[in-house]
Amino acid sequence: MILSISGVVLLGIVVFLFFRKDGLKASHMLVCALFGFYLASTALAPSIKAGGESLASLLGGIKF
């Protein structure tokens, strides 16, 4: 739950900053699509959420 909420907040801020800038590029469109999947309750949302969680655990496991 915490990862989901923080992911939505982070992606929301990134989308807002992209809109404040010149315009959206292809990479920006991908972030906006991810933001939409986190907010929506579609059949694909659990798969995308699981991918985000596994990415977060992968990044969390990196030791410097």
Side-chain angles (χ1 to χ4, degrees), residues 6-41:
S6 61
V8 168
V9 170
L10 176 65
L11 288 172
I13 291 170
V14 170
V15 169
F16 176 75
L17 291 174
F18 286 158
F19 276 121
R20 295 283 296 171
K21 219 177 157 187
D22 310 283
L24 291 176
K25 297 178 182 171
S27 61
H28 302 163
M29 182 180 64
L30 177 64
V31 173
C32 291
L34 287 172
F35 181 64
F37 278 116
Y38 272 110
L39 289 178
S41 296

